[in-house]
Amino acid sequence: MGNGPDELTELTKVALAGGFLNREEGIFLYREAPLPALMQTAHQIRMSLHPEREVTWLIDRNVNITNVCVSACQFCNYFRGINHPEAYVTTMEEYRRKIDQMWALGGRQLLLQGGLHPKLGLAFYTGLFRDLKTAYPELKLHALGPAEVVHLARMDGLSYTEVLTALREAGLDSLPGAGAEILSDRVRQAISKNKCSAGEWLEVMRAAHKLDILTSATMMFGHIESLEERFDHLLALRQLQSAKPAGHTGFISFIPWPFQDKDTFLSRHRNVRNSVTAAEYIRWIAISRIMLPNIPNIQASWLTVGKQTAQLCLYAGANDFGSVMLEENVVSVAGASHQFDIPGIQQAIREAGFRPVRRDQRFEHLADIEQQSGGL
Ligand code: SF4
């Protein structure tokens, strides 16, 4: 294709009509469109998908099942070897304490993640999920991720479908899109070579979509990837979403965040720093909204980019503010220090000109927490 304002206008028209831009078209728009124009296009698409001036948010709690991990990703400060003095596996008593705290604040969902523990197989996780659901029948488990599913399938000699089916029978409600980083094997070999490949990540998600397990998609960018690899990531997600069985949700949301570099192996030994400016993050949210018309919700990661940048993202295609995270380990130990409490997240959404609406993992709206609790 040629270059120039005519091409920008043409591509914008295709995007506004819900069309799929290819990689070169997306890159052209990303590089050449002025930021306000890109934001406006993305915002128009967002308003056509979600016409109300509402921004969703949720309360959940991130509990790490274990910090023992054989993957040793170079962007992670959090993992420990199995014999390390700080290695742990969370006990049921600790789960109870954390869930009770979350329950008192109105939260009903755990985001359960952890390392790839070399000794904990599928039976451990199904037992854990059953115990949690027995103790808290209303609790929702947004748990594990494709890397853990691949790890468990290998350990137990099972297919991804068998692992996912067993996890769902034990209480899994939805599968986070964690561990996607950049879906390029060149990048993964360089920063997380012991984790699942790009193809394996996508195959687990394909299996989950066939089983109609709700999933999300993520992206961690701003490290060693090229712009082309970022776009290939979006295209792989879009293609997989297009292939999901009719009537199944597939990816309900997409959450891109910039690499948090503090004290990571990548920054200490390879001098790789988070290169994403606020303007670039907003631009990336906008192009994600434009490139992914078949994924309904885009989340601004306030935890990693902060309140003001996240508020601007609400005018660049994002319609979700994510969670008041009561606990988060992997990105917080790598430098993400932004925090919201329950009134704070709602206030930030109002300040940006939208009505805050509390949701669950399925994006179903919940009662307003202020009315329910008198303003926690
Ligand atoms: S990011 Fe996850 S998989 Fe990678 S080392 Fe940390 S805990 Fe392990």
Side-chain angles (χ1 to χ4, degrees):
M1 72 176 305
N3 289 340
D6 289 352
E7 283 76 17
L8 285 178
T9 309
E10 271 315 302
L11 294 179
T12 301
K13 269 193 210 154
V14 174
L16 289 173
F20 283 7
L21 301 184
N22 66 30
R23 182 169 89 158
E24 286 63 41
E25 292 167 336
I27 290 176
F28 178 72
L29 205 55
Y30 181 76
R31 285 204 171 119
E32 302 299 328
L35 181 56
L38 205 61
M39 289 173 71
Q40 194 186 359
T41 304
H43 189 58
Q44 256 180 274
I45 297 169
R46 177 265 200 240
M47 292 309 286
S48 67
L49 288 169
H50 308 281
E52 282 79 33
R53 290 191 66 85
E54 292 173 345
V55 170
T56 45
W57 65 284
L58 84 162
I59 303 170
D60 67 5
R61 179 151 205 174
N62 184 350
V63 180
N64 289 91
I65 301 164
T66 174
N67 65 346
V68 174
C69 188
V70 293
S71 188
C73 303
Q74 294 185 12
F75 52 84
C76 178
N77 290 336
Y78 170 71
F79 73 92
R80 296 289 181 269
I82 193 165
N83 295 319
H84 192 283
E86 293 166 5
Y88 70 78
V89 176
T90 300
T91 63
M92 190 47 69
E93 199 188 335
E94 288 166 316
Y95 283 115
R96 281 182 181 279
R97 187 174 53 77
K98 289 173 188 227
I99 295 169
D100 288 344
Q101 286 170 349
M102 175 182 76
W103 219 265
L105 293 171
R108 297 290 179 270
Q109 175 181 285
L110 278 191
L111 170 56
L112 271 184
Q113 300 200 295
L116 309 180
H117 194 296
K119 298 236 161 95
L120 301 181
L122 181 61
F124 169 82
Y125 291 94
T126 52
L128 171 65
F129 291 3
R130 285 208 168 88
D131 288 348
L132 289 170
K133 286 285 178 115
T134 303
Y136 300 89
E138 285 174 48
L139 182 69
K140 298 289 179 203
L141 296 178
H142 185 46
L144 307 182
E148 285 99 330
V149 172
V150 170
H151 181 66
L152 295 176
R154 271 188 206 142
M155 280 181 79
D156 284 62
L158 298 169
S159 69
Y160 304 151
T161 301
E162 287 168 328
V163 171
L164 288 165
T165 302
L167 292 171
R168 179 160 70 177
E169 281 170 7
L172 176 77
D173 291 290
S174 52
L175 186 72
E181 280 85 70
I182 295 288
L183 293 170
S184 142
D185 285 333
R186 183 196 74 82
V187 174
R188 302 174 83 77
Q189 274 300 311
I191 67 171
S192 55
K193 69 180 164 59
N194 301 320
K195 218 171 190 170
C196 61
S197 68
E200 287 169 329
W201 192 98
L202 290 162
E203 281 315 303
V204 170
M205 286 307 196
R206 190 186 302 280
H209 294 177
K210 274 198 185 141
L211 293 168
D212 202 12
I213 294 174
L214 190 79
T215 66
S216 56
T218 64
M219 173 178 199
M220 184 189 75
F221 66 107
H223 40 90
I224 63 159
E225 82 285 357
S226 66
L227 189 60
E228 288 73 15
E229 286 164 337
R230 283 191 203 174
F231 274 84
D232 286 344
H233 183 106
L234 298 184
L235 263 50
L237 297 177
R238 188 175 76 189
Q239 198 175 22
L240 190 62
Q241 182 75 342
S242 290
K244 73 179 171 57
H248 292 193
T249 306
F251 296 123
I252 198 159
S253 61
F254 176 60
I255 313 153
W257 68 81
F259 160 56
Q260 303 296 299
D261 56 28
K262 185 167 164 266
D263 294 333
T264 59
F265 183 95
L266 266 180
S267 72
R268 281 186 290 120
H269 298 282
R270 298 178 59 190
N271 206 25
V272 178
R273 310 267 177 218
N274 169 9
S275 60
V276 180
T277 62
E280 188 183 354
Y281 185 75
I282 297 164
R283 189 175 276 275
W284 191 257
I285 287 282
I287 203 71
S288 300
R289 176 73 288 166
I290 291 165
M291 296 300 289
L292 300 173
N294 58 354
I295 298 183
N297 301 289
I298 305 272
Q299 184 183 123
S301 173
W302 61 263
L303 177 72
T304 53
V305 300
K307 174 177 150 181
Q308 282 88 353
T309 303
Q311 285 173 319
L312 283 167
C313 290
L314 300 179
Y315 289 91
N319 64 301
D320 184 69
F321 236 37
S323 166
V324 176
M325 276 285 189
L326 300 177
E327 196 168 338
E328 207 294 325
N329 284 320
V330 172
V331 296
S332 61
V333 293
S337 57
H338 304 288
Q339 277 206 324
F340 274 137
D341 57 13
I342 290 169
I345 197 167
Q346 296 175 92
Q347 184 56 24
I349 293 168
R350 278 194 208 99
E351 278 171 14
F354 296 88
R355 192 168 79 80
V357 175
R358 193 162 68 102
R359 66 163 174 90
D360 63 14
Q361 189 53 35
R362 308 196 80 83
F363 279 75
E364 280 169 11
H365 293 182
L366 301 173
D368 190 322
I369 194 86
E370 285 177 339
Q371 288 166 14
Q372 207 180 55
S373 65
L376 272 166

